[in-house]
């Protein structure tokens, strides 16, 4: 017999069915990132295949789309500490369907979409799920381009200067290839968009600083970290506002405060990194001038000795 006041709604029902079926499929621990990403994939399946909405709160953030866990009403899962890695594992609580306020149509369609999601993605790792989200659901080309750049920096052979076989032939160095990726990323930057426009100046400074780092042969691991810093700032200032659904006004207000703080911190970080690399370039240029002068002096001395013979 249904409860008069069910504790949970349809977004929670989708999440609970998802966790339940994932546990039935495998005893592997379910990470927070995997759970929140698969919620989004199941929700999109509902929209695209059945034109049905559960009102799942979701947004784009850094490396893919996430359900906003803070918008779920109540707890339909336990999240103890994971075993073997940092973070939490997600386990569905032992609940009955009557605990959820779900329409008759939802009782049929939501499990269908979730079963498809678990069948297609339940055994995939988070990186594979991220790749699917970037390829299928990225909102614009710029998001796809920064994803490609991040993949490049994670797979590049740091000990070699020539291009890797993965990237094909052509004699292009890693540095040249990296700069071409930056060019394509720049070309794809969205125009005439309020929040993107607000970040444009910082983005241009970041791009120029990365090129400076590449010219100075800075370790690619540091460039990768700098890229992640930029993407995190972009996510907090632009992406989660521009690409979301069913996010509460209270949550958006919290995000606005966080965005202002994040933007200020990144501006300071960018200024520091840029200043350090400019100083390094100045010293390098001065050393080059001294070296050229020394080489010229040595050549003149050699020519004088030869003339005396």
């Amino acid at each position: 017999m249904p409860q008069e006041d069910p504790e949970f709604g349809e977004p929670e029902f989708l999440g609970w069915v998802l966790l339940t079926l994932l546990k039935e499929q495998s005893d592997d621990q379910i990470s927070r990132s995997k759970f929140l990403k698969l919620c989004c994939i199941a929700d999109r399946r509902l929209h695209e295949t059945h034109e049905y909405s559960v009102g799942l709160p979701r947004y784009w953030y850094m490396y893919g789309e996430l359900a906003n866990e803070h918008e779920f009403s109540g707890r339909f899962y336990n999240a103890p500490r994971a075993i073997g890695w940092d973070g939490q594992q997600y386990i569905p609580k032992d609940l009955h369907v009557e605990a959820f306020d779900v329409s008759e149509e939802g009782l049929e369609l939501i499990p269908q979409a979730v079963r498809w999601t678990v069948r297609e993605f339940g055994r995939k790792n988070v990186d594979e799920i991220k790749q699917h989200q970037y390829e299928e659901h990225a909102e614009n080309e710029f998001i796809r381009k920064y994803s490609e750049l991040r993949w490049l920096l994670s797979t590049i052979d740091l000990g070699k200067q020539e291009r890797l076989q993965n990237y094909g032939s052509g004699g292009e160095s890693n540095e040249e290839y990296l700069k071409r990726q930056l060019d394509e990323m720049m070309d794809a930057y969205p125009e005439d968009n309020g929040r993107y426009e607000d970040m444009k100046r910082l983005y241009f400074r970041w791009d120029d600083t990365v090129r400076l780092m590449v010219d100075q042969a800075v370790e690619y691991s540091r460039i990768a970290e700098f890229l992640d810093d930029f993407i995190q700032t972009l996510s907090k200032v632009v992406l989660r506002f521009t690409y979301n659904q069913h996010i509460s006004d209270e949550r958006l207000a919290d995000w606005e405060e966080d965005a202002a703080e994040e933007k200020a911190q990144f501006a300071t970080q960018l200024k520091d990194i840029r200043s350090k690399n400019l100083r390094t370039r100045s010293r390098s240029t001065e050393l080059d001038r001294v070296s050229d002068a020394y080489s010229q002096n040595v050549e003149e001395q050699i020519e004088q000795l030869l003339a005396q013979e």
Side-chain angles (χ1 to χ4, degrees):
M1 179 177 177
Q3 299 177 2
E4 292 183 5
D5 297 309
E7 186 178 358
F8 308 107
E10 291 193 332
E12 291 81 12
F13 182 63
L14 182 149
W16 178 71
V17 174
L18 175 63
L19 288 175
T20 300
L21 294 183
L22 285 172
K23 277 300 180 186
E24 289 179 0
Q25 182 187 68
S26 171
D27 289 331
D28 292 344
Q29 297 177 91
I30 304 167
S31 70
R32 176 179 182 273
S33 181
K34 183 170 184 175
F35 167 57
L36 297 180
K37 287 180 177 298
L38 291 186
C39 280
C40 295
I41 291 176
D43 187 53
R44 284 183 175 271
R45 177 72 175 181
L46 275 173
H47 278 275
E48 295 167 1
T49 304
H50 305 293
E51 297 184 351
Y52 188 85
S53 174
V54 301
L56 180 76
R58 52 181 167 91
Y59 62 98
W60 196 272
Y61 190 81
M62 291 191 73
Y63 311 125
E65 195 172 33
L66 298 170
N68 188 0
E69 185 177 14
H70 300 288
E71 302 278 0
F72 284 132
S73 57
R75 290 279 182 156
F76 53 91
Y77 55 83
N78 293 314
R81 184 183 298 275
I83 300 172
W85 42 270
D86 292 335
Q88 298 166 288
Q89 58 172 311
Y90 281 62
I91 303 170
K93 286 186 176 179
D94 187 12
L95 299 171
H96 297 285
V97 174
E98 288 77 10
F100 301 88
D101 184 10
V102 186
S103 70
E104 290 296 325
E105 187 178 14
L107 286 173
E108 177 184 356
L109 297 180
I110 293 172
Q112 287 183 26
V114 172
R115 280 195 292 271
W116 176 86
T117 302
V118 172
R119 184 173 64 250
E120 295 294 321
F121 300 97
R123 298 187 185 279
K124 295 184 181 297
N125 60 40
V126 172
D127 286 338
E128 291 173 311
I129 297 170
K130 287 178 186 176
Q131 183 177 358
H132 167 79
Q133 288 185 315
Y134 273 116
E135 292 176 352
E136 300 297 328
H137 303 309
E139 296 287 349
N140 57 46
E141 186 65 16
F142 180 72
I143 291 174
R144 280 185 284 272
K145 286 299 178 183
Y146 80 58
S147 173
E148 291 175 7
L149 178 58
R150 186 171 185 269
W151 179 82
L152 165 67
L153 290 171
S154 70
T155 59
I156 202 164
D157 187 338
L158 305 183
K160 296 183 178 180
Q161 294 301 314
E162 68 270 14
R163 286 176 67 187
L164 302 181
Q165 293 182 355
N166 305 49
Y167 309 138
S169 58
E172 200 173 25
S173 70
N174 285 341
E175 288 79 3
E176 291 169 334
Y177 185 69
L178 178 54
K179 287 184 177 180
R180 182 158 62 83
Q181 292 292 309
L182 289 169
D183 289 342
E184 293 178 4
M185 188 171 157
M186 178 71 74
D187 290 340
Y189 193 82
E191 299 290 343
D192 302 322
N193 182 299
R195 288 192 174 271
Y196 278 105
E197 285 297 319
D198 289 343
M199 273 291 293
K200 193 171 185 178
R201 186 177 179 183
L202 280 180
Y203 167 58
F204 281 7
R205 286 183 179 178
W206 172 86
D207 174 89
D208 190 59
T209 304
V210 172
R211 294 173 191 271
L212 182 61
M213 295 169 76
V214 173
D215 288 340
Q216 295 176 347
V218 171
E219 292 181 0
Y220 288 143
S221 59
R222 288 174 55 195
I223 296 177
E225 291 174 1
F226 195 32
L227 172 62
D228 280 356
D229 291 338
F230 167 72
I231 297 174
Q232 176 174 299
T233 302
L234 184 77
S235 298
K236 290 186 175 182
V237 176
V238 178
L239 301 184
R240 63 181 177 180
F241 291 99
T242 306
Y243 312 116
N244 70 61
Q245 66 169 27
H246 305 296
I247 303 297
S248 68
D249 291 340
E250 292 80 5
R251 182 59 53 185
L252 290 172
D254 289 340
W255 285 356
E256 287 287 5
E257 293 183 8
D258 190 31
E261 181 179 348
E262 179 70 23
K263 188 176 180 181
Q265 290 178 349
F266 182 71
T268 299
Q269 177 191 11
L270 177 56
K271 183 179 180 180
D272 291 343
I273 292 176
R274 184 171 179 80
S275 296
K276 290 177 183 177
N277 281 277
L278 284 173
R279 287 196 298 270
T280 301
R281 183 174 68 177
S282 297
R283 289 195 298 269
S284 177
T285 301
E286 181 63 29
L287 287 173
D288 288 342
R289 287 198 296 267
V290 172
S291 176
D292 291 342
Y294 175 79
S295 297
Q296 183 177 357
N297 184 50
V298 170
E299 289 177 358
E300 290 175 352
Q301 292 183 36
I302 292 175
E303 288 178 359
Q304 291 175 2
L305 289 172
L306 290 174
Q308 296 173 3
E309 291 182 354

